Amino acid sequence: GIAEQHAVTLAAGMACEGLKPVVAIYSTFLQRGYDGVVHDVALQDLPVVFAMDRAGLAGADGPTHHGTFDINYMLTVPGMTVTAPKDGSELLALLRLGVKLKTGPLSVRWPRDSVPAPVPHISEIPEVEYGTWEILRTGADAAVLAVGTMVSEAMRAADALSQDGLEVTVVNCRFLKPLDEAVLSGILRNHTRILTVEEGAVVNGFGAYLAREIEERLEGQGPRIRTLGIPDQFVAHGGREALLREIDLDAQGISEHLQRMIAEGVAKTSETQVEVTFGVSAPSVVNDPVLIGRFDFEWGSVIDIDIAGNYAYVLQGKGLDILDVSNPQAILHLGSYYPPDLTGSTSSVTVDGDYT
Protein backbone atom coordinates (compact mmCIF):
# COMPACT_ATOMS: atom_id res chain seq x y z
CA GLY A 1 0.00 0.00 0.00
CA ILE A 2 0.90 3.66 0.14
CA ALA A 3 3.02 3.44 3.29
CA GLU A 4 6.40 4.81 2.19
CA GLN A 5 6.59 7.39 4.98
CA HIS A 6 5.86 4.73 7.57
CA ALA A 7 8.54 2.44 6.10
CA VAL A 8 11.23 5.14 6.19
CA THR A 9 10.41 6.18 9.78
CA LEU A 10 10.31 2.54 10.88
CA ALA A 11 13.76 2.04 9.33
CA ALA A 12 15.04 5.07 11.25
CA GLY A 13 13.81 3.56 14.53
CA MET A 14 15.40 0.22 13.70
CA ALA A 15 18.72 1.92 12.95
CA CYS A 16 18.54 3.71 16.31
CA GLU A 17 18.44 0.28 17.96
CA GLY A 18 21.51 -1.00 16.11
CA LEU A 19 19.88 -2.78 13.17
CA LYS A 20 20.92 -2.15 9.54
CA PRO A 21 17.67 -1.67 7.61
CA VAL A 22 17.45 -1.65 3.82
CA VAL A 23 14.42 0.32 2.57
CA ALA A 24 13.46 -1.07 -0.86
CA ILE A 25 11.03 1.28 -2.64
CA TYR A 26 10.47 2.37 -6.24
CA SER A 27 12.34 5.60 -6.94
CA THR A 28 9.19 7.50 -7.82
CA PHE A 29 7.31 6.35 -4.69
CA LEU A 30 10.13 7.22 -2.31
CA GLN A 31 9.15 10.81 -3.09
CA ARG A 32 6.26 10.20 -0.66
CA GLY A 33 8.71 9.30 2.08
CA TYR A 34 11.14 12.15 1.46
CA ASP A 35 10.26 13.98 4.67
CA GLY A 36 11.33 10.89 6.61
CA VAL A 37 14.52 10.57 4.56
CA VAL A 38 15.53 14.09 5.61
CA HIS A 39 14.22 14.45 9.17
CA ASP A 40 14.10 10.91 10.54
CA VAL A 41 17.20 9.40 8.87
CA ALA A 42 19.68 11.97 7.56
CA LEU A 43 19.28 14.53 10.33
CA GLN A 44 20.25 11.82 12.82
CA ASP A 45 23.01 10.47 10.54
CA LEU A 46 21.52 6.98 10.71
CA PRO A 47 22.93 4.06 8.66
CA VAL A 48 19.90 3.30 6.50
CA VAL A 49 20.25 1.98 2.94
CA PHE A 50 17.71 3.21 0.39
CA ALA A 51 17.42 0.69 -2.44
CA MET A 52 15.56 2.40 -5.28
CA ASP A 53 14.14 0.23 -8.03
CA ARG A 54 12.65 1.64 -11.28
CA ALA A 55 15.21 4.47 -11.28
CA GLY A 56 15.21 6.23 -14.62
CA LEU A 57 12.67 5.38 -17.29
CA ALA A 58 10.32 2.56 -16.33
CA GLY A 59 9.16 1.89 -19.90
CA ALA A 60 5.53 0.93 -20.31
CA ASP A 61 4.78 1.69 -16.64
CA GLY A 62 4.62 5.32 -17.75
CA PRO A 63 5.19 8.73 -16.21
CA THR A 64 3.80 7.85 -12.76
CA HIS A 65 6.47 5.15 -12.42
CA HIS A 66 9.46 6.78 -14.12
CA GLY A 67 12.15 7.32 -11.45
CA THR A 68 13.21 10.69 -12.75
CA PHE A 69 14.01 12.70 -9.63
CA ASP A 70 15.86 10.51 -7.12
CA ILE A 71 19.35 11.68 -8.11
CA ASN A 72 18.24 15.27 -7.61
CA TYR A 73 16.47 14.83 -4.29
CA MET A 74 19.13 12.56 -2.78
CA LEU A 75 22.01 14.88 -3.75
CA THR A 76 20.41 17.69 -1.74
CA VAL A 77 20.38 15.71 1.53
CA PRO A 78 23.42 16.48 3.75
CA GLY A 79 25.40 13.38 4.63
CA MET A 80 23.68 11.19 2.03
CA THR A 81 25.97 8.90 0.00
CA VAL A 82 24.48 8.68 -3.50
CA THR A 83 25.43 5.76 -5.76
CA ALA A 84 24.45 4.25 -9.10
CA PRO A 85 25.96 0.95 -10.32
CA LYS A 86 26.86 0.26 -13.93
CA ASP A 87 25.75 -3.39 -13.80
CA GLY A 88 24.37 -6.14 -11.57
CA SER A 89 27.69 -7.05 -9.98
CA GLU A 90 28.40 -3.48 -8.97
CA LEU A 91 24.85 -3.19 -7.61
CA LEU A 92 25.50 -6.03 -5.17
CA ALA A 93 28.90 -4.57 -4.25
CA LEU A 94 27.34 -1.20 -3.44
CA LEU A 95 24.53 -2.77 -1.42
CA ARG A 96 27.10 -4.72 0.56
CA LEU A 97 29.09 -1.55 1.15
CA GLY A 98 25.99 0.29 2.30
CA VAL A 99 25.14 -2.36 4.86
CA LYS A 100 28.68 -2.16 6.24
CA LEU A 101 28.63 1.62 6.75
CA LYS A 102 28.59 2.55 10.42
CA THR A 103 27.03 6.00 10.10
CA GLY A 104 25.07 7.97 7.55
CA PRO A 105 22.53 6.91 4.92
CA LEU A 106 23.35 5.54 1.47
CA SER A 107 21.14 5.36 -1.61
CA VAL A 108 21.59 3.05 -4.59
CA ARG A 109 19.47 3.15 -7.76
CA TRP A 110 18.88 0.68 -10.57
CA PRO A 111 16.56 0.55 -13.59
CA ARG A 112 13.61 -1.56 -14.65
CA ASP A 113 15.76 -3.56 -17.01
CA SER A 114 17.75 -6.78 -17.37
CA VAL A 115 21.31 -6.87 -16.10
CA PRO A 116 23.78 -6.36 -18.97
CA ALA A 117 25.89 -9.38 -17.98
CA PRO A 118 25.56 -12.48 -15.76
CA VAL A 119 26.01 -11.76 -12.06
CA PRO A 120 28.21 -14.09 -9.99
CA HIS A 121 27.61 -14.97 -6.36
CA ILE A 122 28.26 -11.99 -4.11
CA SER A 123 31.23 -13.80 -2.53
CA GLU A 124 32.96 -13.60 -5.94
CA ILE A 125 32.35 -9.88 -6.45
CA PRO A 126 35.26 -7.59 -5.48
CA GLU A 127 34.79 -4.88 -2.88
CA VAL A 128 34.15 -1.34 -4.12
CA GLU A 129 36.18 1.27 -2.30
CA TYR A 130 34.04 4.03 -0.85
CA GLY A 131 33.91 7.21 -2.91
CA THR A 132 35.79 5.91 -5.94
CA TRP A 133 35.14 6.21 -9.66
CA GLU A 134 36.34 3.85 -12.39
CA ILE A 135 38.17 4.97 -15.55
CA LEU A 136 37.09 2.52 -18.27
CA ARG A 137 38.95 4.02 -21.24
CA THR A 138 41.03 7.10 -21.99
CA GLY A 139 41.12 9.57 -24.86
CA ALA A 140 42.20 13.16 -25.44
CA ASP A 141 39.22 14.59 -27.36
CA ALA A 142 36.65 14.64 -24.53
CA ALA A 143 35.65 12.98 -21.28
CA VAL A 144 32.28 11.39 -20.52
CA LEU A 145 31.34 11.18 -16.85
CA ALA A 146 28.58 8.58 -16.93
CA VAL A 147 26.18 7.50 -14.20
CA GLY A 148 24.73 4.01 -13.74
CA THR A 149 22.95 2.69 -16.82
CA MET A 150 24.57 5.33 -19.00
CA VAL A 151 28.04 3.84 -18.52
CA SER A 152 27.48 1.05 -21.04
CA GLU A 153 25.88 3.48 -23.50
CA ALA A 154 28.83 5.85 -23.12
CA MET A 155 31.24 2.99 -23.81
CA ARG A 156 29.36 2.09 -26.99
CA ALA A 157 29.41 5.72 -28.05
CA ALA A 158 33.16 5.93 -27.41
CA ASP A 159 33.75 2.79 -29.46
CA ALA A 160 31.78 4.27 -32.36
CA LEU A 161 33.64 7.59 -32.19
CA SER A 162 36.96 5.76 -32.15
CA GLN A 163 36.14 4.42 -35.60
CA ASP A 164 36.02 8.05 -36.77
CA GLY A 165 39.36 8.92 -35.15
CA LEU A 166 37.94 10.56 -32.02
CA GLU A 167 39.16 9.20 -28.69
CA VAL A 168 37.06 9.76 -25.59
CA THR A 169 37.67 9.06 -21.91
CA VAL A 170 34.80 7.25 -20.18
CA VAL A 171 34.45 7.32 -16.39
CA ASN A 172 32.03 5.24 -14.34
CA CYS A 173 30.85 7.75 -11.72
CA ARG A 174 29.34 5.12 -9.44
CA PHE A 175 29.56 7.55 -6.50
CA LEU A 176 27.65 10.71 -7.33
CA LYS A 177 28.27 11.99 -3.82
CA PRO A 178 30.95 12.11 -2.57
CA LEU A 179 32.96 12.77 -5.72
CA ASP A 180 36.20 10.95 -6.45
CA GLU A 181 38.52 13.93 -6.01
CA ALA A 182 41.62 12.20 -7.40
CA VAL A 183 39.98 11.05 -10.62
CA LEU A 184 38.10 14.32 -11.07
CA SER A 185 41.32 16.33 -10.69
CA GLY A 186 42.95 14.22 -13.39
CA ILE A 187 40.00 14.72 -15.72
CA LEU A 188 40.12 18.49 -15.21
CA ARG A 189 43.86 18.57 -15.90
CA ASN A 190 43.69 16.55 -19.09
CA HIS A 191 40.42 17.49 -20.78
CA THR A 192 38.88 20.67 -22.15
CA ARG A 193 35.48 19.11 -22.90
CA ILE A 194 33.37 17.16 -20.40
CA LEU A 195 29.96 15.60 -21.00
CA THR A 196 27.96 14.25 -18.05
CA VAL A 197 25.30 11.62 -18.81
CA GLU A 198 22.63 10.44 -16.39
CA GLU A 199 19.29 8.67 -16.62
CA GLY A 200 17.67 11.25 -14.39
CA ALA A 201 16.27 14.77 -14.58
CA VAL A 202 18.90 17.03 -16.10
CA VAL A 203 17.62 20.03 -14.10
CA ASN A 204 19.59 20.08 -10.82
CA GLY A 205 20.93 16.58 -11.46
CA PHE A 206 24.43 15.13 -11.24
CA GLY A 207 25.69 17.22 -14.16
CA ALA A 208 24.48 20.45 -12.57
CA TYR A 209 25.94 19.42 -9.20
CA LEU A 210 29.30 18.57 -10.79
CA ALA A 211 29.39 21.80 -12.79
CA ARG A 212 28.91 23.82 -9.60
CA GLU A 213 31.66 21.87 -7.83
CA ILE A 214 34.07 22.45 -10.73
CA GLU A 215 33.16 26.14 -10.87
CA GLU A 216 34.04 26.54 -7.18
CA ARG A 217 37.33 24.67 -7.56
CA LEU A 218 38.57 26.43 -10.70
CA GLU A 219 36.75 29.77 -10.36
CA GLY A 220 35.37 29.69 -13.87
CA GLN A 221 38.63 28.71 -15.56
CA GLY A 222 37.87 25.04 -16.08
CA PRO A 223 36.79 23.03 -19.11
CA ARG A 224 33.57 23.30 -21.05
CA ILE A 225 30.89 21.14 -19.42
CA ARG A 226 27.65 19.92 -20.93
CA THR A 227 24.97 17.84 -19.25
CA LEU A 228 22.79 15.18 -20.81
CA GLY A 229 19.84 13.66 -18.98
CA ILE A 230 16.07 13.39 -18.93
CA PRO A 231 14.76 16.76 -20.20
CA ASP A 232 12.51 19.09 -18.22
CA GLN A 233 9.29 17.31 -19.12
CA PHE A 234 7.23 14.28 -18.14
CA VAL A 235 8.14 11.33 -20.34
CA ALA A 236 5.23 9.29 -21.70
CA HIS A 237 4.63 5.54 -21.85
CA GLY A 238 6.68 3.44 -24.23
CA GLY A 239 9.35 0.82 -24.56
CA ARG A 240 12.40 1.68 -22.49
CA GLU A 241 14.81 1.47 -25.44
CA ALA A 242 12.59 3.66 -27.63
CA LEU A 243 12.15 6.26 -24.90
CA LEU A 244 15.89 6.48 -24.29
CA ARG A 245 16.48 6.91 -28.04
CA GLU A 246 13.90 9.71 -28.14
CA ILE A 247 15.74 11.78 -25.52
CA ASP A 248 19.30 10.95 -26.75
CA LEU A 249 20.14 8.77 -23.74
CA ASP A 250 21.65 5.97 -25.82
CA ALA A 251 24.94 5.36 -27.60
CA GLN A 252 23.81 7.19 -30.73
CA GLY A 253 22.59 10.25 -28.84
CA ILE A 254 25.70 10.43 -26.67
CA SER A 255 27.91 10.09 -29.75
CA GLU A 256 26.08 12.90 -31.54
CA HIS A 257 26.39 15.24 -28.55
CA LEU A 258 30.10 14.50 -28.27
CA GLN A 259 30.70 15.10 -31.97
CA ARG A 260 29.03 18.50 -31.78
CA MET A 261 30.89 19.39 -28.62
CA ILE A 262 34.27 18.47 -30.08
CA ALA A 263 33.54 20.30 -33.36
CA GLU A 264 32.63 23.51 -31.59
CA GLY A 265 36.03 23.80 -29.96
CA VAL A 266 36.91 24.77 -26.43
CA ALA A 267 36.92 28.53 -26.30
CA LYS A 268 36.60 31.64 -28.37
CA THR A 269 39.79 33.18 -29.72
CA SER A 270 41.26 35.72 -27.36
CA GLU A 271 43.77 38.44 -28.18
CA THR A 272 45.12 38.24 -24.64
CA GLN A 273 48.87 37.66 -24.65
CA VAL A 274 50.12 34.85 -22.44
CA GLU A 275 53.20 34.98 -20.25
CA VAL A 276 54.60 31.57 -19.35
CA THR A 277 57.31 30.92 -16.77
CA PHE A 278 58.94 27.51 -16.86
CA GLY A 279 60.70 27.59 -13.51
CA VAL A 280 64.30 27.74 -12.38
CA SER A 281 65.83 25.78 -15.24
CA ALA A 282 65.29 25.58 -18.97
CA PRO A 283 63.36 22.60 -20.36
CA SER A 284 65.48 19.87 -21.87
CA VAL A 285 66.31 20.33 -25.54
CA VAL A 286 64.82 17.43 -27.45
CA ASN A 287 64.33 16.52 -31.07
CA ASP A 288 60.64 15.64 -30.83
CA PRO A 289 57.92 17.86 -29.30
CA VAL A 290 57.25 16.96 -25.67
CA LEU A 291 54.24 18.09 -23.69
CA ILE A 292 55.53 19.86 -20.59
CA GLY A 293 52.45 21.45 -19.09
CA ARG A 294 48.85 22.62 -19.23
CA PHE A 295 47.65 26.05 -18.15
CA ASP A 296 44.18 27.49 -17.51
CA PHE A 297 43.36 31.06 -18.53
CA GLU A 298 40.57 33.46 -17.76
CA TRP A 299 38.45 32.68 -20.83
CA GLY A 300 38.19 29.05 -19.75
CA SER A 301 40.45 27.30 -22.25
CA VAL A 302 43.33 24.97 -21.54
CA ILE A 303 46.56 25.30 -23.49
CA ASP A 304 49.16 22.71 -24.37
CA ILE A 305 52.85 23.62 -24.33
CA ASP A 306 55.25 21.63 -26.51
CA ILE A 307 59.02 22.01 -26.56
CA ALA A 308 60.94 21.39 -29.78
CA GLY A 309 64.58 22.44 -29.68
CA ASN A 310 64.75 25.92 -28.19
CA TYR A 311 61.17 26.87 -28.99
CA ALA A 312 57.86 26.45 -27.20
CA TYR A 313 54.71 26.10 -29.25
CA VAL A 314 51.78 27.15 -27.09
CA LEU A 315 48.41 26.09 -28.47
CA GLN A 316 45.58 27.96 -26.74
CA GLY A 317 42.10 27.43 -28.07
CA LYS A 318 42.43 28.44 -31.73
CA GLY A 319 45.59 30.52 -31.20
CA LEU A 320 49.27 29.63 -31.38
CA ASP A 321 52.06 31.39 -29.48
CA ILE A 322 55.73 30.73 -30.28
CA LEU A 323 58.34 31.41 -27.61
CA ASP A 324 62.12 31.12 -27.51
CA VAL A 325 62.89 29.29 -24.26
CA SER A 326 66.61 28.70 -24.75
CA ASN A 327 67.26 31.18 -21.93
CA PRO A 328 64.81 30.68 -19.03
CA GLN A 329 65.77 34.04 -17.56
CA ALA A 330 64.71 35.95 -20.68
CA ILE A 331 61.93 34.15 -22.53
CA LEU A 332 61.33 35.88 -25.85
CA HIS A 333 57.80 36.01 -27.22
CA LEU A 334 58.24 35.56 -30.97
CA GLY A 335 54.64 36.15 -32.01
CA SER A 336 51.07 34.93 -32.05
CA TYR A 337 48.84 33.52 -34.74
CA TYR A 338 45.05 33.77 -34.40
CA PRO A 339 43.34 32.30 -37.47
CA PRO A 340 39.63 32.73 -38.17
CA ASP A 341 37.19 30.14 -36.90
CA LEU A 342 38.37 26.83 -38.36
CA THR A 343 35.61 24.65 -36.94
CA GLY A 344 35.10 21.71 -39.25
CA SER A 345 37.84 22.77 -41.70
CA THR A 346 41.41 21.66 -42.34
CA SER A 347 44.36 24.05 -42.25
CA SER A 348 47.99 23.65 -43.23
CA VAL A 349 51.24 24.45 -41.45
CA THR A 350 54.02 26.35 -43.23
CA VAL A 351 57.69 26.08 -42.27
CA ASP A 352 59.75 29.24 -42.78
CA GLY A 353 63.40 28.84 -41.86
CA ASP A 354 63.67 27.66 -38.25
CA TYR A 355 60.08 28.51 -37.38
CA THR A 356 56.81 26.66 -37.85
Side-chain angles (χ1 to χ4, degrees):
I2 302 175
E4 289 82 3
Q5 282 183 302
H6 299 301
V8 172
T9 303
L10 173 63
M14 296 168 69
C16 285
E17 296 301 314
L19 299 177
K20 300 299 290 287
V22 176
V23 182
I25 300 177
Y26 284 8
S27 163
T28 184
F29 297 145
L30 187 55
Q31 293 165 192
R32 296 180 176 132
Y34 189 61
D35 183 70
V37 171
V38 175
H39 291 131
D40 298 331
V41 176
L43 190 60
Q44 301 183 81
D45 202 30
L46 295 174
V48 176
V49 176
F50 293 98
M52 298 177 295
D53 189 6
R54 265 49 172 192
L57 298 183
D61 287 350
T64 59
H65 283 56
H66 293 325
T68 305
F69 306 114
D70 62 90
I71 290 176
N72 318 61
Y73 65 65
M74 285 302 191
L75 282 174
T76 64
V77 180
M80 176 70 69
T81 298
V82 185
T83 72
K86 72 178 187 297
D87 56 26
S89 296
E90 198 164 74
L91 167 60
L92 292 182
L94 289 172
L95 282 172
R96 179 176 57 196
L97 175 67
V99 171
K100 289 181 178 180
L101 288 181
K102 301 299 184 184
T103 60
L106 177 143
S107 69
V108 58
R109 71 190 314 256
W110 65 87
R112 180 182 182 246
D113 201 7
S114 301
V115 291
V119 180
H121 189 272
I122 193 168
S123 62
E124 302 174 28
I125 298 174
E127 300 279 345
V128 170
E129 184 180 351
Y130 182 83
T132 59
W133 291 352
E134 181 184 27
I135 301 175
L136 300 177
R137 64 178 292 157
T138 59
D141 292 304
V144 182
L145 303 186
V147 172
T149 56
M150 292 294 102
V151 173
S152 59
E153 297 298 330
M155 287 293 289
R156 282 193 279 271
D159 290 340
L161 289 173
S162 183
Q163 301 299 314
D164 296 328
L166 299 176
E167 297 300 332
V168 175
T169 294
V170 176
V171 181
N172 169 21
C173 299
R174 54 196 176 195
F175 284 86
L176 291 72
K177 180 183 173 183
L179 304 172
D180 186 329
E181 297 290 348
V183 173
L184 178 58
S185 295
I187 294 296
L188 296 179
R189 281 195 306 270
N190 297 316
H191 294 85
T192 57
R193 308 168 184 89
I194 295 175
L195 177 68
T196 66
V197 190
E198 59 196 296
E199 193 181 340
V202 73
V203 176
N204 294 327
F206 173 70
Y209 168 66
L210 186 66
R212 184 188 67 83
E213 292 291 319
I214 292 174
E215 168 72 20
E216 288 189 352
R217 286 164 171 75
L218 302 181
E219 298 182 346
Q221 300 183 35
R224 169 171 290 186
I225 303 173
R226 288 194 174 173
T227 59
L228 184 58
I230 297 174
D232 189 19
Q233 65 189 55
F234 290 107
V235 180
H237 296 261
R240 176 176 158 78
E241 184 176 335
L243 292 176
L244 290 172
R245 171 80 288 274
E246 185 177 322
I247 58 176
D248 285 345
L249 287 182
D250 63 355
Q252 180 181 338
I254 295 170
S255 176
E256 291 170 353
H257 279 262
L258 283 168
Q259 286 175 319
R260 289 195 294 270
M261 192 176 188
I262 293 170
E264 288 171 0
V266 180
K268 296 179 180 179
T269 300
S270 172
E271 295 297 332
T272 304
Q273 296 300 314
V274 179
E275 180 180 350
V276 180
T277 303
F278 292 96
V280 295
S281 61
S284 300
V285 177
V286 294
N287 294 324
D288 297 322
V290 175
L291 180 66
I292 64 166
R294 301 179 72 89
F295 294 80
D296 295 330
F297 290 90
E298 61 183 0
W299 62 89
S301 66
V302 177
I303 65 170
D304 288 348
I305 297 182
D306 292 336
I307 293 295
N310 292 330
Y311 306 105
Y313 302 90
V314 184
L315 182 63
Q316 45 173 336
K318 297 185 180 70
L320 177 68
D321 281 358
I322 304 173
L323 300 94
D324 183 347
V325 295
S326 56
N327 182 354
Q329 304 305 320
I331 296 176
L332 175 64
H333 184 263
L334 300 176
S336 299
Y337 173 56
Y338 295 101
D341 188 357
L342 299 176
T343 300
S345 65
T346 302
S347 60
S348 60
V349 175
T350 302
V351 176
D352 181 11
D354 293 334
Y355 305 105
T356 301

